[in-house]
Amino acid sequence: MRTTVPPWAAAGSYAAALHAGRGPLFLRRDDGWLLPLEVERWCARPDAVDLEVLDRCEGAVLDVGCGPGRLVSELAARGRITLGIDVSDAAVAHTVRTGGRALRRSVFDPLPGEGRWDTVLLMDGNLGIGGDPDALLERLARLLRPGGLLIAETAPVDVDERAWVQVVDDAVTGAHTAGESFPWARLGTPALLRYARGWEQAGQWSAGGRCFVALRTRRASSNAEPPKSTALISSHLPR
């Protein structure tokens, strides 16, 4: 199965930044506003803030927009059942090289273990995926088991924004763009909680200048069982 790859994900500047482990790389809105992308942190080992998040994970973990896979690889090293998904070939390859399991998929594609994941991670600004928080939260609820846990990183400011953006590697001129514009969103904690209708709040915290929200799907009777073995996940990986 082949997912539709957005132009930025296949562009050389994004892949080159992941390969080098550093930027500069930015999201640029149509009005010229720039959001720096933290490539160095993404490509490094998990920091203390990341480790606190991972300590809160339950059972089998799906990392949506796993990037170069620092969290997936750390969970795998702990012996946890975990899978990363990302639309970038470079990100998936980096994750696999560092010991994690990953698939090149969009979160809106069919995925292994749908309705049976214990935890879904949505870190590093990935609340922005698709530019439609309602659609994204609805999709994540379908991936989790009843009572499953979503841990989402929110913007450290009170913002509720949807915009068309490009990935660029030149903050001055924007000359080296990494593809066409695509829809994105930025949500602070208050905005995410407004969108999280039908979810149960399970906590919120800040650490190291970053903000997080934990939500649970509504508990309901279900015959679905959470993933219990690596074999279940590996059976869905491409050969």
Side-chain angles (χ1 to χ4, degrees), residues 15 31 60 66 97 112-113 118 129 131 174 193 195 200 202 215 218-219:
D31 63 3
C66 65
R97 284 197 303 271
D118 298 298
I129 290 173
L193 294 178
Y195 284 108
E200 297 176 355
L215 301 168
R218 298 293 186 184
R219 298 180 185 274

Side-chain angles (χ1 to χ4, degrees), residues 130-208:
D132 186 341
D134 281 323
L136 181 58
L137 287 170
E138 180 181 350
R139 174 58 175 149
L140 298 179
R142 295 199 303 270
L143 293 173
L144 285 161
R145 65 170 174 81
L149 181 67
L150 168 64
I151 299 179
E153 183 170 356
T154 58
V157 292
D158 187 1
V159 62
D160 183 356
E161 172 186 87
R162 272 156 299 286
W164 286 82
V165 299
Q166 287 178 300
V167 176
V168 300
D169 56 19
D170 187 331
V172 178
T173 67
H176 306 297
T177 61
E180 301 171 359
S181 296
F182 57 93
W184 198 252
R186 290 177 69 229
L187 301 182
T189 294
L192 173 58
L193 294 178
R194 288 194 297 271
Y195 284 108
R197 299 176 297 274
W199 293 76
E200 297 176 355
Q201 294 186 33
Q204 52 183 282
W205 69 97
S206 299

Side-chain angles (χ1 to χ4, degrees), residues 1-237:
M1 141 157 218
R2 301 295 287 176
T3 188
T4 301
V5 180
W8 65 265
S13 56
Y14 181 75
L18 293 190
H19 180 73
R22 62 181 183 274
L25 210 60
F26 307 86
L27 286 184
R28 185 182 66 182
R29 285 191 320 219
D30 288 347
D31 63 3
W33 182 87
L34 293 168
L35 176 68
L37 300 180
E38 299 182 75
V39 178
E40 290 86 352
R41 181 170 64 80
W42 299 346
C43 290
R45 294 182 61 84
D47 60 20
V49 178
D50 294 328
L51 294 176
E52 180 182 352
V53 170
L54 298 185
D55 288 342
R56 294 173 182 256
C57 291
E58 301 171 354
V61 181
L62 178 68
D63 186 358
V64 173
C66 65
R70 73 189 190 282
L71 305 179
V72 176
S73 300
E74 173 64 23
L75 286 168
R78 296 183 182 190
R80 299 287 293 274
I81 298 169
T82 182
L83 177 68
I85 60 168
D86 203 286
V87 294
S88 163
D89 275 326
V92 169
H94 194 288
T95 300
V96 172
R97 284 197 303 271
T98 56
R101 295 174 180 269
L103 292 174
R104 188 173 71 92
R105 301 277 174 87
S106 161
V107 66
F108 297 105
D109 288 335
L111 296 173
E114 295 206 13
R116 292 176 289 169
W117 291 98
D118 298 298
T119 303
V120 166
L121 291 177
L122 201 61
M123 301 278 281
D124 303 326
N126 284 326
L127 265 172
I129 290 173
D132 186 341
D134 281 323
L136 181 58
L137 287 170
E138 180 181 350
R139 174 58 175 149
L140 298 179
R142 295 199 303 270
L143 293 173
L144 285 161
R145 65 170 174 81
L149 181 67
L150 168 64
I151 299 179
E153 183 170 356
T154 58
V157 292
D158 187 1
V159 62
D160 183 356
E161 172 186 87
R162 272 156 299 286
W164 286 82
V165 299
Q166 287 178 300
V167 176
V168 300
D169 56 19
D170 187 331
V172 178
T173 67
H176 306 297
T177 61
E180 301 171 359
S181 296
F182 57 93
W184 198 252
R186 290 177 69 229
L187 301 182
T189 294
L192 173 58
L193 294 178
R194 288 194 297 271
Y195 284 108
R197 299 176 297 274
W199 293 76
E200 297 176 355
Q201 294 186 33
Q204 52 183 282
W205 69 97
S206 299
R210 297 161 63 191
C211 299
F212 304 90
V213 173
L215 301 168
R216 287 193 183 276
T217 56
R218 298 293 186 184
R219 298 180 185 274
S221 60
S222 172
N223 293 324
E225 296 181 358
K228 293 181 179 177
S229 71
T230 305
L232 177 62
I233 303 304
S234 358
S235 67
H236 292 81
L237 294 175

